[in-house]
Amino acid sequence: MANPSFASRMPAIQVAEEKYSAHLGLDPHGIRIHFRGTISTANPATVLNPFVDSVHEHVLETSAKEVRVDLTQLEFCNSSGFKSFIHWIERIQQAPEPKRYRLRFVSTKERKWQRTSLLALSCYGVNIVAIDGAP
Amino acid sequence: MTLSENFKSGDFPIQLLIRMSPPWVFIDELRRFTESFCACACPGQDREAQVALAVHELMQNAVPHAHGEEVELMLEVSRERDVVAIRVSNRCSDEDYQALRERIERMNGEPDALAHYVQMMRENPASTRGGLGLARVRFEAQLEISVRREAGRVIVEACGPLRAPRLPAVGGIHG
């Protein structure tokens, strides 16, 4: 169970656009970032990168070693939106070694693009990206 | 043999042609439609999500360069020839065409699609738009990409087998 006092201190880090949203939440495994909808605008990085930066700062403050990135409700992400995950990996790579953490992506086989996109992302973020689901 | 029997035996190509005037917002609907279309046209091939991803990325590349003019999408699947082909065409400037041709030539010069994709991730800053779409189509959709110019229009074609091998689980940590 998530610690209620920890949960009450958790900042409201979220972003919402017309077709997609993302927010930081807490589950029994720790920090979980939920993405929903369809990321398909021309330049979603202008919205998503600041969100990723806020999440990253929060994770560093809490010294968490793993963050779950839940894509199960994400219908689609275009290549421009995909770059925000690359940005996130780069932020982790730039952090001091003891502060680095893992991104554990939670995917669904219902969204078949997720498997191949995460395979590619795992090759970019070796030792940072882990993948659950969508065998 | 009736048309229905021909279809069931899969011995003729199935084509979809859409001519669209931008705007951008219809690309999501096109992706969903082509995914459904492909699932119906080639049932059991498990190719529809990859084709839909390719359509999305190619249309997304085309629309900003079309300067408000029409963009044409042609999708063809042939079970007999084991081929899926996507063609996207739009009017574009010589400069845009040359830049695109050079990018595709460079991409095709790297035989390892995944290696090129990862290289593009390194080279294209996350704060800027574009740079990943073609590499994504080539690796994730397992389609080879070519480009040509006809009558002032650029035609980008992505073509590959309908029965593509499943990509192996590579890299990262799979928990």
Side-chain angles (χ1 to χ4, degrees), chain B residues 100-113:
Chain B
L100 179 61
R101 191 171 63 87
E102 285 169 15
R103 282 177 55 207
I104 290 175
E105 281 179 358
R106 183 189 168 202
M107 178 172 72
N108 292 340
E110 167 56 75
D112 185 334

Side-chain angles (χ1 to χ4, degrees), chain A residues 20 41-51 80-81 83-84, chain B residues 126-128:
Chain A
Y20 65 88
T41 50
N43 194 3
T46 57
V47 172
L48 287 175
N49 284 6
F51 170 76
S80 299
K83 289 170 87 171
S84 290
Chain B
S127 57
T128 62

Side-chain angles (χ1 to χ4, degrees), chain A residues 19 38 40 42 45 49 75-79 82-83 87 104 112 115-117 119-120 122 129-132 135, chain B residues 24 28 31-32 46 48-49 57 60 117 121 125-126 128-130 132 136 140 166-168 170 172-175:
Chain A
K19 291 187 175 181
T38 303
S40 60
N49 284 6
E75 181 193 341
F76 186 73
C77 179
N78 65 8
S79 56
F82 196 55
K83 289 170 87 171
H87 172 70
R104 180 170 291 277
K112 293 175 184 172
R115 179 179 180 273
T116 52
S117 292
L119 285 178
S122 70
V129 172
I131 303 168
D132 275 359
Chain B
W24 183 278
D28 281 330
R31 185 191 67 249
R32 293 181 187 118
D46 202 21
E48 60 271 16
E57 295 292 350
Q60 182 178 273
Y117 192 10
M121 293 184 199
T128 62
R129 206 190 133 251
L132 277 189
R136 188 184 197 196
E140 294 192 33
R166 189 174 165 86
L167 288 168
V170 292
I173 309 149
H174 301 270

Side-chain angles (χ1 to χ4, degrees), chain B residues 1-143:
Chain B
M1 189 179 279
T2 66
L3 274 177
S4 175
E5 287 167 339
N6 266 339
F7 177 75
K8 285 173 183 165
S9 70
D11 61 355
F12 72 95
I14 301 166
Q15 294 180 329
L16 170 71
L17 174 64
I18 294 177
R19 185 176 296 143
M20 185 185 84
S21 289
W24 183 278
V25 290
F26 292 134
I27 296 177
D28 281 330
E29 277 62 46
L30 266 184
R31 185 191 67 249
R32 293 181 187 118
F33 177 68
T34 51
E35 183 164 0
S36 298
F37 177 87
C38 199
C40 294
C42 43
Q45 303 301 325
D46 202 21
R47 204 68 165 103
E48 60 271 16
Q50 293 171 313
V51 170
L53 181 147
V55 165
H56 187 108
E57 295 292 350
L58 296 178
M59 291 298 289
Q60 182 178 273
N61 279 354
V63 166
H65 295 285
H67 303 294
E69 294 191 34
E70 66 186 32
V71 177
E72 196 171 279
L73 166 70
M74 165 79 108
L75 171 63
E76 180 176 318
V77 293
S78 170
R79 284 182 284 184
E80 186 187 46
R81 291 188 293 125
D82 186 27
V83 167
V84 56
I86 302 163
R87 273 185 292 279
V88 173
S89 74
N90 58 278
R91 192 163 291 284
C92 85
S93 66
D94 287 339
E95 293 77 17
D96 283 349
Y97 170 68
Q98 289 303 333
L100 179 61
R101 191 171 63 87
E102 285 169 15
R103 282 177 55 207
I104 290 175
E105 281 179 358
R106 183 189 168 202
M107 178 172 72
N108 292 340
E110 167 56 75
D112 185 334
L114 177 57
H116 176 76
Y117 192 10
V118 172
Q119 183 63 25
M120 289 300 99
M121 293 184 199
R122 292 197 184 97
E123 287 185 14
N124 291 280
S127 57
T128 62
R129 206 190 133 251
L132 277 189
L134 292 172
R136 188 184 197 196
V137 170
R138 187 178 177 222
F139 173 69
E140 294 192 33
Q142 299 181 74
L143 298 171

Side-chain angles (χ1 to χ4, degrees), chain A residues 9-71:
Chain A
R9 294 198 309 271
M10 194 173 64
I13 300 175
Q14 57 192 325
V15 65
E17 284 282 287
E18 184 183 346
K19 291 187 175 181
Y20 65 88
S21 65
H23 72 272
L24 182 149
L26 204 57
D27 74 3
H29 299 288
I31 297 170
R32 192 179 190 104
I33 311 299
H34 300 263
F35 284 87
R36 294 176 195 278
T38 303
I39 301 173
S40 60
T41 50
N43 194 3
T46 57
V47 172
L48 287 175
N49 284 6
F51 170 76
V52 164
D53 290 340
S54 297
V55 171
H56 178 69
E57 293 305 321
H58 176 70
V59 176
L60 293 183
E61 286 170 13
T62 60
S63 299
K65 300 314 289 180
E66 184 169 283
V67 172
R68 288 182 178 257
V69 185
D70 189 338
L71 304 184

